[in-house]
Amino acid sequence: MMLTEKTEFTPLQFGAAADGKTLDTKAIQKAIDQAAAVGGLVRIPAGIYLTGSLFLKSNVTFHMEEGAVILGASEECQYPVIPSRVAGIEMKWPAGVMNVIGQKNVKITGKGLIDGQGDFWWEKYWGTDRHGGMRRKYEDRGLRWAVDYDCTRPRNVIVYESENVILEDFSCQRSAFWNIHLCYSSHVHVKGLQIGENQGPSTDGIDIDSCSHVLVEKCTISCNDDSICLKAGRDGDGLRVNRVCQQVEIRDCLLKEGQGITLGSETSGGICNVWIHDIEFQGTECGFRIKSAKTRGGLIRDIKVEHLSMRNVREPFSWNLNWNSAYSYCQLPPDYGTSVPDHWKSMLQTVPEELGIPKVRDITVRQVTAVLENGFSGNSSAFLINGYEQAPIENIRLEEVYLEAGRLGHIEHVKNFSIKNVELKLLGQ
């Protein structure tokens, strides 16, 4: 369909103030609904549009012009609680600022900005000094594993149970929780996003959660946690859902700060057929990372990683299948009582060992360079690889790899580890 005046709509037509102070949710949603009726375009002119949750519809293009800002409201009541999946658990949680839920053929494009105003929620989690808030209260009660689920925070963009979705060219910042969450969706193309100013807890860049046929390319990401992360469900609930994350390509991205590219820790449904290539890492904590736990289960297989350039990365290869016990393993304190939320019940399910031990095999890594420049401070390790004695990591190939690090690190419980043209320069720290 050729777009005409009859198929193009702007929030200004429906009373949007675009002043950053007046709530424009209804006006923007009206423009979306009108465009959905004809398969049209929502054009967002320059201005600041304060809004709660927006819900895009099938066959709609949401185009933000340069200078347009979608500014997430700082009131929790502006984000309705809906069924979702959060960090591997199906539960009710706040909707995002932008939501594509159960839709087809949707585009979010343009040179505009989605700003989640995350500071309000960051303080809710951490307190004013990063040593208080809900996190400290839960830790003091032996409930570290529960706080990330109970401290509800909206995501900037959610694509859920949808297909044929394009996210292109816009900027995304200050998300209350994850920036971009793709879940149970297929044929999603993420291109040219600029993701930054994410100093808050769990402000992941892009999370690809039990999806298939996803391409992420030409993005620049700076965040507090995982830069790009593949997920597939947590523990008993993830094993129940049993949806694999597969056919994913990540290429031509620049990652600054954050934790690099991660598989896990939610691995229950399995992660397979992943191609990661031509990525530049600048000062991230990790390069290529795998994390899971002995209650997660799932099979990670057929992963190809190549053409990586790392500068001042502390842990180029960090593969830990028994990761972060305080968060990963759920147990009620002895004096807690019996009344618990439904999502806690999901997390407290006992997972038999034969289902819970994750398996990793068939990973090829080639043409990787990791250097430490003058002025780099802190410890660094080339390899931090931990499998399980009863289920070792299998069939790993490293080819044409050059690493600079303070120390070797360790490699435990790996079977069939092949290396070719691997050079390691230990600088001593």
Side-chain angles (χ1 to χ4, degrees), residues 237-254:
D237 196 61
L239 292 166
R240 173 188 63 83
V241 173
N242 194 30
R243 294 183 67 162
V244 65
C245 190
Q246 62 182 336
Q247 302 296 337
V248 176
E249 181 180 357
I250 302 167
R251 69 188 186 199
D252 299 317
C253 292
L254 171 60

Side-chain angles (χ1 to χ4, degrees), residues 343-355:
H343 63 280
W344 285 25
K345 294 176 183 177
S346 293
M347 299 171 70
L348 289 163
Q349 294 177 67
T350 299
V351 177
E353 181 177 303
E354 63 270 20
L355 296 178

